[in-house]
Amino acid sequence: MALMIHNNLTNRKEEFVPIEPGKVKMYVCGVTVYDDIHMGHARSIIVFDVVNRYLRYKGYDVTFVTNFTDVDDKIINRANERGVKALDLSADYIRKYFEDVEKLGVRRADIYPQASTSMPYIIDMVKEIVDRGYGYAARDGSVYFRVRKIPDYGILSNRSIEEMRSSGRLEPNEDKEDPMDFAVWKGVKPGEVSWESPWGEGRPGWHIECSAMIRHYLGDEIDIHGGGNDLIFPHHENEILQTEACTGTHLARYWMHNGMLETKGSDGKTVKMSKSLKNFFKVEDVARKFDRFTIRFYYLNTHYSSPLAYGEDNMLEAQAALKRLWNNYRDLQACARDGPSGNGEEAAAAVEGARNGFVASMDDDFNTRAAIEALFDLARTTNRMLADRTLTAEGAKRVLGFLEEIDAVLGIFPEKEEGDGAFDDVMGILVDLRKELRKRKQYDLADMIRDRLSEAGYIIEDSADGAKWKKI
RNA sequence: GUCGGGGUAACACAGUGGCUAUGUGGCGGACUGCAGAUCCGCAUAUGGGGGUUCGAUUCCCUCCCCCGACUCCA
């Protein structure tokens, strides 16, 4: 099956064909590290984590790069407010980022470049832009990009220069040849971190770091470039210009953008979650209430490109839905341990159907929502088999094997635990003991054992033909 | 204003030119000493108006509403 990706460059769903067969170079815009990450960032991080994981599931050799913007106005301002060095502040938030991302069950990217440590590549690229006539130095030591020199301007966001001029939002700037031009290098101002450059002391413009890092770490042209859809303009548009000025390529073959996370305001309307509106939920706070599996499930239960309104009710609903999958998972584990023996063939069709559903959905522009539906179908089917007692231990193992296989992509099932034969034997004795007590109608004792085990983290579920136990 | 994305049952959220998804919640059954889990069944839907079609929720046009981008932003 072919993987299809909705490419924002063409606004069409296209078959994914990597530049180099079997290999994928992917870059996703990371965060500006001047504060803790919030649930909106978490969405982007988890979405592209799953893209990364699915590409690997498909057998691609993926190089995944995501950056930290650690040189920026907001960082400098906040550092000055707090009386600390800008790079110390950003270093703290980078450390915090990894702590938070840990709570989201995210697989690490291969490389996490930072603007501050990529300065040689950035300066080289600015130099090349100037040398090729696409950039010019202004009196204040800044370097601006000649937007009009690249006819492709607007290719990603479907804008024309004329439209933008007529929007009337451009402020004239005497240093610029054209008000549309943007800074690739900013001359230093008092109280700012800066680096030496051919244009004097200064620091990079916002867009240049991504172009430079991509070029240095991944090459002139990459397969997938991702980020939030709020970055399409101007950030990604300008990245394209900068790279095109140097290499003549479009920078990336496929552009993917996740939808914004929103919250419901007091007026009932939804609004984008953002730091400036102060309507965000920090990852660390949400992670105190909900585990990584629930948070991931919540995001993956919607297509990545759709807008999504966050609310605690929605998280609770995700928790309830995921519990259904987990109950089934635990029951399968119990069956794999204590179920009847056989060859496991009875589970083959269900597993095959689920795998086909999963792969077909994920191949269709990473439709995790539809993929999850395949999992619910599988759960219903296997629950029925468990109730019928037609599922054997071997069959249950097959299903579990499949779930572990696809969980390498989704990351929504609990970590696999090593079985302990001796412990299982002891639990078996307790289950038998309760069976005998129940037969003698000594329910108070039977219930006491059940309650105590429950307190200890083990659930016993009685049914007509015996009991089963599982860890919570 | 320009560009992009949406409007689906109580809620959340998918897919599809005819077979009507999935989950949460609700209702009714089954199972059951109780608890829990599970199974079976039921109900409620495709923003408004046109058009194409034998047939549209799905395609086209138009209108309305919502969100985002155009300023830092995942």
Side-chain angles (χ1 to χ4, degrees):
Chain A
M1 289 268 301
L3 172 61
M4 304 295 285
I5 295 181
H6 182 90
N7 188 355
N8 284 125
L9 198 58
T10 55
N11 260 324
R12 275 203 297 259
K13 218 182 264 187
E14 297 170 352
E15 182 175 345
F16 176 66
V17 181
I19 296 164
E20 194 180 337
K23 294 195 174 174
V24 179
K25 295 176 187 174
M26 177 161 91
Y27 181 90
V28 174
C29 286
V31 294
T32 301
V33 278
Y34 72 105
D35 204 343
D36 295 326
I37 57 169
H38 62 63
M39 289 298 281
H41 302 118
R43 182 175 191 196
S44 183
I45 291 165
I46 288 172
V47 160
F48 287 104
D49 175 46
V50 169
V51 169
N52 178 28
R53 289 166 178 239
Y54 187 64
L55 289 167
R56 287 167 202 263
Y57 175 89
K58 294 282 280 185
Y60 288 109
D61 175 10
V62 182
T63 307
F64 176 33
V65 178
T66 189
N67 71 305
F68 291 115
T69 297
D70 63 348
V71 180
D72 160 272
D73 290 348
K74 280 176 302 226
I75 296 171
I76 291 168
N77 291 342
R78 185 155 296 187
N80 288 343
E81 279 166 26
R82 294 188 188 173
V84 297
K85 287 184 183 163
L87 290 181
D88 289 343
L89 181 92
S90 56
D92 280 347
Y93 282 114
I94 288 172
R95 218 172 296 128
K96 187 66 190 314
Y97 173 94
F98 285 116
E99 278 177 36
D100 286 345
V101 141
E102 190 75 21
K103 294 167 191 155
L104 300 174
V106 171
R107 187 189 203 282
R108 289 272 179 130
D110 299 292
I111 307 169
Y112 287 95
Q114 297 166 226
S116 66
T117 57
S118 305
M119 222 40 83
Y121 326 125
I122 292 173
I123 291 171
D124 280 352
M125 196 158 190
V126 176
K127 222 185 289 179
E128 194 169 342
I129 287 169
V130 172
D131 289 349
R132 287 172 175 266
Y134 290 97
Y136 54 93
R139 285 169 304 179
D140 65 349
S142 296
V143 177
Y144 292 100
F145 193 96
R146 286 193 175 99
V147 166
R148 286 184 167 276
K149 267 207 97 169
I150 305 254
D152 273 350
Y153 189 54
I155 191 174
L156 188 65
S157 55
N158 290 312
R159 285 159 213 256
S160 70
I161 289 185
E162 307 322 315
E163 279 166 16
M164 313 226 18
R165 299 182 144 253
S166 61
S167 77
R169 296 228 195 176
L170 293 166
E171 286 180 21
N173 179 328
E174 353 184 279
D175 290 323
K176 294 184 185 178
E177 292 177 0
D178 186 304
M180 299 290 302
D181 292 348
F182 62 91
V184 286
W185 187 262
K186 293 179 172 180
V188 69
K189 291 188 200 126
E192 293 184 351
V193 265
S194 62
W195 284 260
E196 256 182 64
S197 80
W199 315 279
E201 289 278 314
R203 60 190 171 96
W206 177 33
H207 317 294
I208 191 70
E209 63 175 76
C210 290
S211 290
M213 289 169 183
I214 288 171
R215 198 170 181 209
H216 180 259
Y217 291 103
L218 292 171
D220 284 355
E221 192 180 21
I222 63 172
D223 295 294
I224 298 174
H225 189 128
N229 69 15
D230 53 346
L231 298 179
I232 293 173
F233 188 92
H235 184 54
H236 288 168
E237 201 71 71
N238 290 349
E239 278 183 49
I240 290 174
L241 299 189
Q242 292 162 347
T243 298
E244 201 170 329
C246 296
T247 68
T249 69
H250 273 167
L251 178 58
R253 293 266 178 102
Y254 302 87
W255 287 81
M256 294 177 63
H257 295 98
N258 63 277
M260 290 296 101
L261 190 69
E262 305 169 344
T263 51
K264 296 182 188 96
S266 49
D267 56 359
K269 289 188 175 179
T270 56
V271 64
K272 174 182 166 182
M273 185 178 291
S274 74
K275 285 175 184 168
S276 50
L277 293 173
K278 297 197 162 85
N279 62 352
F280 56 88
F281 293 80
K282 286 185 179 184
V283 167
E284 64 173 343
D285 294 332
V286 175
R288 266 194 281 273
K289 284 185 175 171
F290 300 98
D291 60 40
R292 67 189 63 182
F293 311 103
T294 302
I295 296 172
R296 294 177 71 89
F297 182 90
Y298 168 69
Y299 287 121
L300 301 179
N301 206 20
T302 304
H303 188 80
Y304 73 83
S305 64
S306 303
L308 177 61
Y310 177 83
E312 197 164 310
D313 290 355
N314 303 305
M315 288 295 290
L316 289 167
E317 190 180 320
Q319 194 173 48
L322 183 59
K323 193 169 180 233
R324 179 172 165 76
L325 253 23
W326 278 37
N327 280 333
N328 173 251
Y329 186 78
R330 300 295 195 202
D331 288 346
L332 288 166
Q333 285 180 323
C335 179
R337 187 185 60 229
D338 302 324
S341 62
N343 59 16
E345 266 313 301
E346 77 284 353
V351 168
E352 231 13 66
R355 182 180 285 112
N356 291 340
F358 177 82
V359 171
S361 300
M362 292 299 288
D363 275 352
D364 184 15
D365 195 28
F366 305 96
N367 192 337
T368 51
R369 172 50 142 94
I372 285 172
E373 290 187 16
L375 298 185
F376 279 107
D377 288 340
L378 177 66
R380 197 183 326 100
T381 305
T382 54
N383 275 334
R384 219 176 297 168
M385 294 173 81
L386 286 162
D388 294 333
R389 297 186 62 78
T390 51
L391 190 65
T392 61
E394 290 70 22
K397 280 176 193 157
R398 282 198 193 195
V399 179
L400 287 167
F402 166 73
L403 292 177
E404 278 148 24
E405 170 192 322
I406 61 95
D407 202 46
V409 178
L410 302 180
I412 57 172
F413 285 103
E415 284 91 352
K416 198 178 171 187
E417 282 165 37
E418 293 305 311
D420 179 338
F423 180 80
D424 293 355
D425 289 346
V426 174
M427 286 298 288
I429 291 168
L430 285 170
V431 167
D432 286 346
L433 178 63
R434 281 192 71 255
K435 190 176 174 186
E436 190 57 32
L437 289 168
R438 290 176 67 219
K439 204 155 80 182
R440 299 183 189 182
K441 298 204 188 299
Q442 298 187 21
Y443 295 120
D444 52 340
L445 279 176
D447 290 351
M448 188 180 96
I449 294 172
R450 189 172 63 192
D451 292 345
R452 293 292 300 276
L453 283 172
S454 167
E455 285 163 22
Y458 297 89
I459 290 182
I460 293 214
E461 288 175 357
D462 294 316
S463 64
D465 42 27
K468 65 190 171 205
W469 68 269
K470 54 194 181 188
K471 198 168 190 298
I472 288 175

